[in-house]
Amino acid sequence: MFSIRFTLGVCFRKRWVLLVKSPYSLRGLGEPRVPGSAAAVWMSQASLFLSSTISSVAQEQACILCPLVDISSWWHTALGFAPSPFNRQIPFCPDCSAVYGRKSTTSGYYRIRPRADREPFLAFCDMSDGGGWTVIQRRSNGRENFNRKWDDYKLGFGKFQGKNDEYWLGNDHIHDLLARGEYSLKIDLMDWHGERRYAIYENFQLENYRLWFGTYSGNAGDALSGGSNFEDQWSASHRGMQFTTFDKDHDQFLAGNCASENKGGWWFNRCHAVNLNGRYYKRGKYSGPHDDGLVWSTWHGMWYSLKYSAMKIRAPFFIDRESGDGENSQAS
Ligand SMILES: [Ca+2]
């Protein structure tokens, strides 16, 4: 025994909303509740087709089909659609690789949802450089304040509009993305002469925000591992470090707080060889009481603050297919 209703949905703000729900309810094939109506039987066939189509669309293709048939808010208001329980069942693409897989190959902001039991959120999908990159951090102009407290880093902050807007996606969001499986991290860097370098780390993980990563490749140097000599690695490697902000000190520096000194939240040791969330200096070389710039030590050292950084993640099979050198990434 089964019961089917005619259901028609439309997309509103990239969510399915219920537009029409038929009055027909069938109990068993050919036994419509509206007796003697051939139309009702026909409707039941049509509704079966439509509801199964919508449900398969909802399960697998919403993230590509939804933007194509999105309707504007005045339609919503004019027709008085109520948000339906349907909304809750609509999965978004879990990450930008999935968005890319749905043939949405234009770089831009997409609403993604790595966990079905949490709300979707905006992230920049970098569809250049092989495509499918979910950008978790970007610095490009110094307009955003990165000297922020724990909760800001936890939830994310910044501007999610222009292709070079600065943001931190949020430790919770990053964690949820990485919990889906194996991810590679690629870091695009640019100095004040416009020269670019990159670093790729396989098997990037956050374990309760604690940083883990695997093999390095690239041309910026393996700064996340702390640099080339053993002493530096001991004090500056970021492997296995917990996240620290000025209001939550989890670093290895007993006499102080690395985030306070270095003006941004990061996986500090005592303290760092990399700080992509540091202070944004509008020049390369800088000086001061602390090496608090936007630093990637194995390229320009601790006293050179970079012009651009983007941290982005992608499933490793994408890396195998095409690994770029950052030439096409989003820096202006
Ligand atoms: Ca400390």
Side-chain angles (χ1 to χ4, degrees), residues 249-258:
D249 185 346
H250 298 127
D251 61 35
Q252 305 295 307
F253 176 38
L254 295 179
N257 179 321
C258 294

Side-chain angles (χ1 to χ4, degrees), residues 147 251 253 255-264 268 270-272 275 278-281 283-295 301-305:
N147 191 14
D251 61 35
F253 176 38
N257 179 321
C258 294
S260 300
E261 282 194 356
N262 298 301
K263 311 297 185 292
F268 288 110
R270 60 177 76 77
C271 280
H272 65 290
N275 181 16
R279 198 168 147 187
Y280 196 91
Y281 289 90
R283 60 187 182 279
K285 287 180 182 167
Y286 68 99
S287 58
H290 301 291
D291 42 11
D292 57 1
L294 203 167
V295 165
M302 299 298 289
W303 295 98
Y304 186 98
S305 188

